[in-house]
């Protein structure tokens, strides 16, 4: 658990940021993160900021570093579990429209880190570009998808990525080809301490009929196999020997409830917020599944969902 920042210090940093950032930049103190995660749980951020430019983003990093305040980058809040005590320091979201632009350039799709994956898929479709249909149902944005190497339906981000622009924590901007960036299953280590700004994705020209067919197939698979209730997507990484959802089902844990959190009856690798769940409820379910998998099958499960923040004192 991190040390709480005194409110006076938070307000002091907030005042300095307001004096040095553009007027359109959104800055709020003690912003509830339950409003900004797909699980609808999570305590407050000390400071929540949506910059209106890359230069404002660099200033936020500079001022935060000067005051020793940690910085956390928040995407659209999918694949994320924020503990009930919230996140100390500064939480930055690239939610402003300037970071969400999508431009079609031949068979390339240039998009900001804040662009929704669903929007990218549909803009590609309008331009008769295939290969990006898998993004249609992933509830995240480009920046978060790059950090997690998000994927679905047999495709993933780095399979369609040509290059990415990013900022380091000192505010310097770089650009790299996808082939220059080490990547793992559901993880890109570069973005643990660098911030994605924009990316170029590669599509392929195809008929609208073929793209419609692919997109409808992705959509139907998703709706038929995933719960509609608030969730963070898949909770566990798949073990080598068995898909995590199948393992949970074989262990007889589907439908197990703690408080307002329930292991989905639709897909065993989803925990849903059924009735005002807390992060503690969800974390308790995660530990229950891990313990059962270890004792009954000798399998150590590892979470795919990112767990951040502090517990309540």
């Amino acid at each position: 658990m991190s040390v709480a920042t005194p409110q006076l210090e938070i307000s002091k940093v907030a005042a300095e940021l307001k004096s040095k950032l553009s007027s359109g930049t959104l800055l709020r103190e003690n912003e509830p993160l339950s409003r900004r995660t797909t699980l609808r749980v999570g305590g407050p951020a000390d400071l929540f900021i949506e910059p209106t430019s890359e230069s404002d983003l660099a200033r936020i990093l500079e001022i935060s570093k000067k005051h020793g305040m940690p910085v956390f980058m928040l995407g659209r809040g999918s694949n994320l579990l924020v503990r009930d005590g919230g996140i100390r320091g500064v939480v930055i979201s690239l939610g402003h429209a300037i970071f969400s632009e999508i431009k079609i350039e031949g068979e390339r799709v240039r998009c900001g880190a804040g662009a929704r994956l669903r929007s990218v898929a549909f803009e590609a479709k309008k331009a008769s570009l295939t290969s990006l249909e898998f993004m249609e149902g992933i509830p995240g944005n480009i920046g978060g998808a790059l950090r997690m190497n998000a994927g679905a339906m047999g495709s993933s981000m780095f399979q369609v990525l040509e290059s990415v622009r990013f900022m380091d924590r000192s505010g310097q901007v770089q650009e790299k080809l996808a082939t220059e960036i080490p990547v793992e299953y559901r993880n890109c280590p570069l973005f643990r301490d660098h911030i994605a700004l924009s990316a170029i994705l590669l599509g392929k020209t195809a008929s609208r009929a073929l793209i419609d067919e692919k997109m409808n197939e992705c959509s139907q698979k998703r709706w038929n196999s995933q719960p509609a209730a608030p969730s963070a997507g898949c909770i566990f990484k798949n073990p080598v020997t068995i898909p995590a959802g199948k393992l949970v089902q074989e262990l007889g844990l589907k439908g197990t409830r703690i408080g307002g959190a329930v292991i989905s009856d639709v897909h065993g690798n989803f925990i849903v917020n059924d009735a005002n769940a807390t992060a503690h409820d969800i974390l308790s379910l995660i530990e229950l599944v891990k313990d059962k998998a270890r004792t009954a099958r000798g399998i150590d499960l590892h979470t795919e969902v990112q767990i951040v923040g502090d517990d309540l004192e």
Side-chain angles (χ1 to χ4, degrees):
M1 180 182 293
S2 60
V3 178
T5 309
Q7 187 59 47
L8 183 62
E9 178 66 14
I10 294 168
S11 297
K12 177 183 175 183
V13 175
E16 181 175 349
L17 284 163
K18 286 177 182 177
S19 71
K20 295 185 178 179
L21 299 177
S22 304
S23 59
T25 288
L26 172 68
L27 190 154
R28 292 177 179 165
E29 297 180 42
N30 298 313
E31 174 74 358
L33 295 176
S34 56
R35 301 173 182 172
R36 300 180 180 276
T37 65
T38 58
L39 258 172
R40 302 290 183 260
V41 301
D46 286 343
L47 289 175
F48 177 84
I49 311 176
E50 285 186 357
T52 59
S53 66
E54 291 182 11
S55 58
D56 268 7
L57 174 60
R59 289 190 194 99
I60 295 166
L61 296 174
E62 176 189 357
I63 293 169
S64 299
K65 182 178 181 180
K66 182 176 76 169
H67 290 276
M69 296 192 78
V71 171
F72 178 79
M73 295 301 302
L74 177 69
R76 292 196 53 77
S78 60
N79 202 51
L80 182 69
L81 174 56
V82 179
R83 292 186 175 92
D84 296 313
I87 297 178
R88 306 286 68 77
V90 177
V91 173
I92 302 173
S93 171
L94 302 185
H96 191 274
I98 196 165
F99 291 104
S100 302
E101 294 178 348
I102 303 169
K103 295 180 181 179
I104 306 296
E105 301 172 350
E107 291 191 329
R108 290 175 170 82
V109 183
R110 187 182 298 272
C111 40
R116 298 185 183 193
L117 298 178
R118 179 181 176 85
S119 298
V120 173
F122 276 92
E123 287 300 314
K125 173 183 169 180
K126 287 197 291 186
S128 297
L129 295 178
T130 188
S131 299
L132 306 180
E133 295 89 350
F134 74 95
M135 297 182 185
E136 179 270 337
I138 302 177
N141 62 14
I142 290 292
L146 289 170
R147 177 170 179 167
M148 297 302 300
N149 189 23
M153 312 302 167
S155 299
S156 62
M157 283 300 296
F158 273 78
Q159 290 175 343
V160 296
L161 179 70
E162 180 178 77
S163 63
V164 60
R165 290 179 66 252
F166 56 91
M167 183 180 290
D168 65 23
R169 294 303 172 110
S170 67
Q172 299 300 307
V173 176
Q174 304 174 54
E175 185 166 3
K176 282 190 176 184
L177 295 173
T179 53
E180 299 176 300
I181 302 173
V183 66
E184 304 165 359
Y185 173 71
R186 297 296 179 262
N187 181 42
C188 177
L190 174 70
F191 295 113
R192 291 175 188 161
D193 53 8
H194 293 76
I195 301 165
L197 299 173
S198 63
I200 297 177
L201 308 179
L202 292 173
K204 297 178 182 178
T205 301
S207 69
R208 284 290 296 274
L210 174 63
I211 297 168
D212 280 336
E213 182 181 346
K214 281 189 172 184
M215 195 167 284
N216 289 335
E217 182 182 353
C218 289
S219 181
Q220 286 301 315
K221 282 184 179 178
R222 194 177 307 279
W223 283 113
N224 291 336
S225 64
Q226 297 182 7
S231 77
C234 288
I235 292 291
F236 300 105
K237 295 178 181 178
N238 286 326
V240 175
T241 55
I242 184 173
K246 185 177 181 182
L247 173 62
V248 172
Q249 180 174 340
E250 291 182 0
L251 292 171
L253 295 176
K254 289 173 76 172
T256 303
R257 172 187 292 272
I258 294 180
V262 183
I263 298 174
S264 172
D265 282 322
V266 179
H267 193 308
N269 202 12
F270 281 66
I271 293 176
V272 301
N273 184 344
D274 183 58
N276 299 316
T278 64
H280 185 266
D281 294 339
I282 296 164
L283 288 165
S284 297
L285 265 183
I286 289 172
E287 290 307 312
L288 184 153
V289 174
K290 282 184 173 181
D291 288 345
K292 185 74 171 180
R294 189 180 302 113
T295 56
R297 301 287 286 272
I299 296 175
D300 286 320
L301 284 173
H302 301 279
T303 50
E304 180 173 316
V305 67
Q306 186 183 13
I307 301 169
V308 298
D310 292 351
D311 293 316
L312 284 174
E313 293 183 0

